Amino acid sequence: MASERCGARTRAGGACRSPAVSGRRRCRMHGGAKGSGAPSGNSNALKSGLYTAERQAMRLKMGVLMRAGKKLLRDI
């Protein structure tokens, strides 16, 4: 009996020919190996903090303040 094949697609569009790791649907190269895949939590998204809710709210407040300041200068 042939072992189950990896379910991943190659860049050419064909199916991967490698056998899947036992108990998994992918081969060792496509994420079936122990420890493969992304780390738990998304620490990469927190490198700059640019898109956190706190920073976005701060940018909105700054925009309101800048527009109010420009309007005040125009009125003077």
Side-chain angles (χ1 to χ4, degrees):
M1 180 174 138
S3 61
E4 187 178 342
R5 295 291 143 183
C6 175
R9 293 277 167 199
T10 63
R11 285 188 244 175
C16 176
R17 297 179 187 166
S18 299
V21 175
S22 63
R24 297 193 181 225
R25 298 178 66 192
R26 301 282 186 245
C27 68
R28 63 187 179 86
M29 299 300 283
H30 289 115
K34 183 177 182 180
S36 64
S40 59
N42 191 0
S43 60
N44 290 331
L46 301 176
K47 283 185 177 179
S48 68
L50 187 61
Y51 298 104
T52 60
E54 184 180 346
R55 285 284 291 271
Q56 288 177 339
M58 184 177 69
R59 281 197 299 274
L60 284 173
K61 288 179 185 177
M62 288 298 293
V64 169
L65 288 172
M66 293 291 287
R67 283 188 294 277
K70 286 180 182 179
K71 184 180 182 306
L72 181 64
L73 286 174
R74 266 188 266 124
D75 292 345
I76 294 179

